[in-house]
Amino acid sequence: MGAGVTGYGEILRAPYAARLLAGTLVGRLPSATGPIAIMLFTRAEGGSYSLASALAAVYGAGTAAGQPLLGRAVDLRGQLRVQLPAALVSALAMVALAVIGTGELWPACAAVAVAGLFTPPLEGGLRALWPAVLGREDRVHRAYALDAVAQEIMFTVGPLLVTLLVWLWSPAAALLVINALGVLGALAVVLSEPSRAWRSAPREAHWLGALRSPGLLALLGSFFFVGLALGSITVAGVAYADDRGSEAVYGLLLAALSFGALVGGVFYGARRWTGEPERRLRILIALLALGYLPLALTPGVAAMTVLSALAGLFLAPAIACAFVVVDRHAPRGTVTEAFSWLVTTFGVGAAGGTAVAGPVVESAGTAWSFAVAGGGGAAALLVLAVTRRALAVPLRTGEPARPVPADPAPAGPPVPDTTARVSENDRNGAAEPGFSSRPEA
């Protein structure tokens, strides 16, 4: 694992790399913690579990609808023109929710829908920037792994930050602070030179865009159910915390889930993998589903925290491997859109999970709401098994990557210009062994 950690340090020393990674993570805080903040805000306003889960689901659905649309806009018009205005509109919508409250249903639904719809596609945008910033393909794949690990740090810190803000001030203050930080993170990214200069590779005009790839469609179908599992845990965790009489328990469980994913991501990214990533993804999803099942036992807080950490152990590796698969199956020139579609499937799945789990809590209890997560993991594995043939043949429509010296000068990456840009979609035909375990998420 030492070589992998050393490789991470090499990535962070590249010009702009640390800024882009940190800015993206901070910019994604609103979307990462949005369902949690909305749930706590609605409960504090006196709303029911059903209302809280419905509003969180509307937010997730808005994000799901907006990500591929904004991702395609980024591919066509560049990052600065799309990402920053979207971040501002999303933040202002959350400010409106904090002001109007949840007493009136339709204004509250409208606010969370707009906030979700205009969530900037920073995640896909970052992965589009890595080739221009790092040059060599092995460094790009290692950056994907670093990205996956950093995300889990965010998902560990994010829930704790929301609960801390709620404890220090109020759920409304948590909404405002988180979204202000999101705008600052987006600014840090889009004002950087690589982001301002980035342009997508030429693309074939097609109304389906990235969705014309059968392999990508199969992957999206599977990760819909992964999102459903995670969305149901969001609601089930609130119910479990209420059963124990402490909001802090909720943050603890979500932090443990993300901590487990962080540990899994570090070990996964530190190893070189060979073989087809599609096969490895099936194994990881199977292990992920097995990890979710024991949560339905709902033991005491200490044991439940351990189970949550174990449940998250294979999440980052599965996401990391999924991004390698996206890279292999996405059509040329659809880099931001393709990654944004994966975010969308998570959003739709998570929205479905939160919408289902709320009524399940009220009708059948907390344990059954956790059982929804296990069912989601099993369904994700089933989709991958059924669509094995579609995933067996990567879509190879991209051009070969631009030649890069074996050992670029330490002065840093090439000056980001449109002629030197290497899109991730241009690397669909690259062989994975030797790079494969740097997933990517």
Side-chain angles (χ1 to χ4, degrees):
M1 188 170 69
V5 174
T6 302
Y8 293 158
E10 178 189 11
I11 298 303
L12 290 175
R13 287 191 296 271
Y16 300 108
R19 172 179 173 174
L20 292 172
L21 179 62
T24 298
L25 293 175
V26 174
R28 291 183 57 225
L29 271 176
S31 60
T33 62
I36 301 170
I38 290 170
M39 291 280 295
L40 295 179
F41 178 73
T42 304
R43 292 291 290 158
E45 292 274 300
S48 66
Y49 280 115
S50 294
L51 176 60
S53 62
L55 289 177
V58 169
Y59 177 79
T63 302
Q67 287 296 292
L69 296 175
L70 292 172
R72 183 174 293 193
V74 168
D75 284 332
L76 294 172
R77 299 184 178 277
Q79 296 196 358
L80 178 60
R81 293 182 178 181
V82 178
Q83 304 270 40
L84 183 56
L88 290 171
V89 172
S90 180
L92 289 174
M94 278 299 195
V95 171
L97 176 66
V99 172
I100 65 178
T102 59
E104 295 292 333
L105 177 60
W106 294 114
C109 283
V112 296
V114 170
L117 185 65
F118 285 91
T119 298
L122 294 169
E123 186 176 355
L126 175 63
R127 295 183 182 99
L129 291 174
W130 283 135
V133 172
L134 300 174
R136 280 195 346 224
E137 189 170 8
D138 61 327
R139 292 179 176 176
V140 172
H141 278 235
R142 185 170 288 120
Y144 287 165
L146 176 62
D147 188 358
V149 171
Q151 279 191 76
E152 295 313 322
I153 295 175
M154 179 188 67
F155 280 108
T156 301
V157 173
L160 295 176
L161 178 60
V162 170
T163 53
L164 176 63
L165 291 170
V166 170
W167 181 70
L168 289 176
W169 290 296
S170 68
L175 283 174
L176 298 176
V177 172
I178 289 296
N179 280 274
L181 290 174
V183 172
L184 292 177
L187 271 172
V189 172
V190 301
L191 295 183
S192 68
E193 184 179 354
S195 179
R196 287 185 286 109
W198 180 86
R199 295 296 181 272
S200 177
R203 58 189 285 158
E204 176 189 348
H206 197 290
W207 70 276
L208 279 176
L211 293 183
R212 64 183 184 272
S213 165
L216 181 61
L217 289 175
L219 181 69
L220 298 180
S222 175
F223 270 75
F224 166 84
F225 291 105
V226 176
L228 185 144
L230 294 176
S232 66
I233 290 176
T234 299
V235 178
V238 172
Y240 181 88
D242 278 358
D243 292 344
R244 298 308 187 272
S246 173
E247 288 182 346
V249 172
Y250 177 61
L252 181 64
L253 294 184
L254 269 291
L257 189 74
S258 294
F259 178 74
L262 168 64
V263 172
V266 168
F267 278 89
Y268 180 80
R271 176 182 170 180
R272 281 186 180 273
W273 299 89
T274 58
E276 296 297 316
E278 292 84 359
R279 179 179 180 275
R280 185 164 65 254
L281 182 61
R282 287 193 291 271
I283 296 173
L284 291 170
I285 293 295
L287 294 171
L288 186 65
L290 287 174
Y292 286 150
L293 293 175
L295 295 175
L297 298 174
T298 60
V301 174
M304 193 66 173
T305 301
V306 173
L307 288 179
S308 296
L310 292 175
L313 199 59
F314 296 99
L315 179 59
I319 293 174
C321 190
F323 276 102
V324 169
V325 176
V326 169
D327 192 27
R328 285 161 60 87
H329 289 268
R332 181 174 183 266
T334 63
V335 54
T336 311
E337 181 187 348
F339 284 120
S340 296
W341 271 116
L342 194 57
V343 175
T344 284
T345 60
F346 263 99
V348 173
T354 54
V356 168
V360 169
V361 167
E362 295 179 341
S363 63
T366 302
W368 281 103
S369 64
F370 278 112
V372 174
L381 177 61
L382 179 62
V383 171
L384 289 181
V386 170
T387 60
R388 177 180 299 196
R389 182 170 297 180
L391 284 165
V393 183
L395 185 65
R396 301 179 184 276
T397 59
E399 299 174 356
R402 172 178 57 85
V404 180
D407 188 14
V415 176
D417 63 342
T418 56
T419 59
R421 193 74 59 241
V422 181
S423 166
E424 281 158 312
N425 294 123
D426 293 331
R427 298 183 286 104
N428 285 327
E432 204 219 359
F435 307 117
S436 49
S437 100
R438 312 303 182 206
E440 356 160 276

